[in-house]
Amino acid sequence: GGLSFGDLARLCSLTDGNLSRHLDVLAEEGLVQITKGYAGRRPLTTCKMTAAGRKRFREYLGQLERVLRDAAAEDEAVTAKAKPGLA
């Protein structure tokens, strides 16, 4: 169902203005869907990832995992080359 704008702002620790700009860019790319409506008499903006947004996010996580694996492998190689007693 998505998250309310207010909840998303709190979770991301962003100001309303900063979050609004980020969401505008993501919406222009078709990665999030912004729905404006009401909860009773109060305005309610809801943000939801699109299928394309979920796909791009999974791709990003895959890239991040590769970076972490490469960094861990590099750390292991450096440790293996280190001379005993000079750590």
Side-chain angles (χ1 to χ4, degrees):
L3 287 173
S4 73
F5 183 92
D7 288 343
L8 190 56
R10 279 188 292 282
L11 287 169
C12 295
S13 299
L14 291 172
T15 64
D16 289 355
N18 284 337
L19 178 58
S20 181
R21 180 65 187 130
H22 285 292
L23 290 173
D24 286 345
V25 171
L26 293 170
E28 287 171 10
E29 293 295 318
L31 303 176
V32 297
Q33 177 183 1
I34 313 280
T35 305
K36 295 183 183 265
Y38 290 90
R41 293 183 185 176
R42 298 178 58 131
L44 177 65
T45 300
T46 305
C47 310
K48 181 179 177 181
M49 288 178 76
T50 63
R54 286 187 294 278
K55 180 179 184 269
R56 288 273 296 272
F57 185 66
R58 284 191 301 272
E59 290 169 355
Y60 166 74
L61 291 178
Q63 291 173 351
L64 186 57
E65 287 173 347
R66 283 190 289 281
V67 167
L68 292 173
R69 277 194 306 271
D70 291 349
E74 187 174 313
D75 284 347
E76 289 176 12
V78 169
T79 301
K81 289 181 183 179
K83 295 180 181 176
L86 297 178

